[in-house]
Amino acid sequence: MEYRFEQGYFLIYFPARSTSTGDIMVVKLLDRPFKDRLEFLINSKNYECTSRYEYLTFEPNSNNKSEKPGAFSAVRSEYNRMWATMNSYFEK
């Protein structure tokens, strides 16, 4: 899992596995930290991503990709690290 901030969004990259394609989850940041996972998911969209290069050049405001159904799964420690990083945006 890899992530970055871009134009008011938090982008999360999940590389492809042998059983699935990769994903980019695009989270629209609020003006405050997220209260819980449900609020996080409501403000998220998921797109198929075939490469790390595609993730690095992805523009959340101007893409023509179709939204991919479903959410992501992650090991709890990865999820906790991602959550802390995303909410650190509001500590500035």
Side-chain angles (χ1 to χ4, degrees):
M1 182 185 320
E2 188 176 334
Y3 27 84
R4 67 186 170 97
F5 294 99
E6 182 75 34
Q7 303 169 14
Y9 292 87
F10 186 63
L11 279 61
I12 308 163
Y13 171 56
F14 301 93
R17 298 183 184 147
S18 60
T19 58
S20 66
T21 61
D23 294 331
I24 298 175
M25 180 172 265
V26 179
V27 183
K28 173 84 171 122
L29 295 171
L30 305 176
D31 59 353
R32 57 172 171 70
F34 289 98
K35 288 185 250 179
D36 54 30
R37 184 177 168 131
L38 178 61
E39 188 175 56
F40 165 78
L41 291 173
I42 289 170
N43 289 283
S44 301
K45 292 185 178 186
N46 196 33
Y47 302 98
E48 185 174 306
C49 179
T50 57
S51 69
R52 184 170 184 271
Y53 176 78
E54 184 179 2
Y55 157 71
L56 292 173
T57 59
F58 186 83
E59 294 286 335
N61 289 321
S62 60
N63 73 81
N64 59 358
K65 293 175 127 336
S66 298
E67 195 171 341
K68 181 179 171 182
F72 72 95
S73 65
V75 175
R76 189 68 165 164
S77 61
E78 287 181 331
Y79 176 81
N80 290 343
R81 193 169 39 250
M82 178 275 304
W83 185 266
T85 301
M86 179 178 62
N87 282 324
S88 72
Y89 177 82
F90 302 100
E91 295 171 4
K92 296 176 183 177

